[in-house]
Amino acid sequence: MTSFKPDSFQKKLFSLDGSQESIQTLSLWIIHHRAQHPHIIDTWFDTFPKATSVQQLNMLYLANDVIQIGVRKKCPQLRQQFQRQFHSLALPHLAKSPFKAKIHRIFTVWRQRGVYDPDYCDNLIASLGMAPAAAAADPPAPPAGNAGGTEMGKATARAVLPDSYRLEATLDLVKRTSMLDRITEVSMKTRQCCNKTLDSADVDNMRQIKARAEALAFKLEFDQSVHKIEDLVKVLERQIATKKMMLESLGHARTFFTQQMGEAT
């Protein structure tokens, strides 16, 4: 595996913009490189004091996403090492943050979902100078601008992901669909099927063919056009099938992201 580069990772942290795509992209990168988790988490804590309040909030969103994915994927080392350093290295900065309400929301999610022990989470919340949320409180609402506030978003949040779902498969389908789109476009341009005006049902045109050589040439050209159209139909059928698979997979991806980002943003 490629050696970990703290400076490169620090740049990734500073470049977080708080968007769902930005958080999820770096979160998946961390999960993929979880064997380097001691260096990754140490760099996260080294970077935190250097960041602005907005950047610190985005880094906390990232940590929340990584920790919760780690819990689901049975990678306790991410959650455990983060906890060991969080109280002393990050919490003092968060206690002075202008975004305490959003931070409180994240800590409450950790408590409600059993990410960390309730007493630990209550201690975190108390350090913000705020009261702990009730244990039976409703799950936090999705972030502003997220479809989770609409009927479609609510249905997505209730949807159940199949056990076999993998985000990497969705990304692969998107790439394959894009490639097929390019192939189809090239096929349409190069074959120029629409430029052929051969019409076997046109009796008047057929009667104008006098010589056998002209008839054979006509037949050859016609057969070639038929083959081109058949090839194009096959490409289009493959493209349609792939797009159907991609749409289904994107639906699962929507559920995946809604369930995660709606938890603590």
Side-chain angles (χ1 to χ4, degrees), residues 50-222:
K50 307 172 187 176
T52 65
S53 296
V54 173
Q55 290 172 333
Q56 289 176 349
L57 180 64
N58 291 337
M59 288 175 64
L60 187 59
Y61 283 150
L62 172 68
N64 170 69
D65 198 63
V66 170
I67 290 168
Q68 295 204 48
I69 292 177
V71 170
R72 288 194 294 273
K73 288 184 174 291
K74 303 187 186 306
C75 302
Q77 64 271 26
L78 293 169
R79 178 177 59 86
Q80 292 167 357
Q81 183 167 345
F82 187 83
Q83 181 182 13
R84 282 196 291 269
Q85 303 183 66
F86 185 76
H87 203 283
S88 60
L89 298 182
L91 195 58
H93 299 281
L94 294 176
K96 298 180 290 185
S97 173
F99 304 108
K100 287 185 180 180
K102 294 182 178 181
I103 298 168
H104 178 280
R105 198 174 191 179
I106 295 174
F107 294 163
T108 300
V109 168
W110 289 354
R111 189 185 197 283
Q112 292 174 345
R113 303 206 177 260
V115 176
Y116 289 115
D117 181 83
D119 291 339
Y120 175 75
C121 295
D122 289 346
N123 193 352
L124 294 179
I125 293 172
S127 298
L128 298 176
M130 305 176 75
D138 293 333
N146 188 290
T150 66
E151 290 303 317
M152 181 182 297
K154 291 175 184 177
T156 301
R158 291 192 297 268
V160 178
L161 282 172
D163 293 337
S164 60
Y165 175 72
R166 296 292 180 272
L167 183 61
E168 293 82 358
T170 298
L171 299 176
D172 182 59
L173 276 172
V174 171
K175 291 178 182 178
R176 285 168 53 192
T177 302
S178 177
M179 183 179 299
L180 278 173
D181 285 342
R182 291 195 294 270
I183 292 174
T184 302
E185 182 180 359
V186 171
S187 298
M188 294 287 287
K189 289 180 179 179
T190 57
R191 285 166 184 157
Q192 299 178 344
C193 296
C194 295
N195 291 339
K196 300 299 181 183
T197 57
L198 302 176
D199 187 0
S200 58
D202 192 339
V203 178
D204 291 336
N205 287 341
M206 293 295 292
R207 286 173 178 170
Q208 294 176 9
I209 302 177
K210 303 296 183 181
R212 179 177 177 80
E214 292 177 351
L216 290 174
F218 175 88
K219 182 179 183 303
L220 178 62
E221 188 176 14
F222 183 82

